[in-house]
Amino acid sequence: MKVSIIMPCYNEAHTIVSIVEAVLRSPVVDKEVLIVDDGSTDGTRDILKPRVEPLVSRVIYHDVNRGKGA
């Protein structure tokens, strides 16, 4: 069974890479990691594109901050 890990993020430029790497190191073998950037304004998107997108299943970008439920 595949486990889907959905990680919302907002202004996580200083931590997003280390958090994603920690999740990827988890012992769950069959997993997909989805990142939802909720309109970050601190440069998180500049980090997601080159450093995180190649590592995860998908990155979704919201144009504006929609809140945790979105």
Side-chain angles (χ1 to χ4, degrees):
M1 175 192 307
K2 182 180 277 192
V3 174
S4 297
I5 302 162
I6 302 170
M7 298 175 54
C9 70
Y10 177 73
N11 290 347
E12 297 289 341
H14 297 290
T15 58
I16 191 65
V17 174
S18 61
I19 292 170
V20 168
E21 288 173 343
V23 169
L24 293 173
R25 284 192 305 267
S26 73
V28 177
V29 178
D30 195 10
K31 64 182 169 263
E32 66 177 350
V33 178
L34 306 149
I35 309 290
V36 180
D37 179 75
D38 197 19
S40 291
T41 58
D42 71 337
T44 299
R45 290 177 179 227
D46 298 329
I47 295 167
L48 287 172
K49 291 246 182 227
R51 296 183 62 194
V52 175
E53 278 188 15
L55 303 175
V56 299
S57 302
R58 185 168 180 204
V59 178
I60 300 166
Y61 297 94
H62 291 175
D63 292 329
V64 295
N65 184 274
R66 299 180 185 179
K68 293 179 183 179

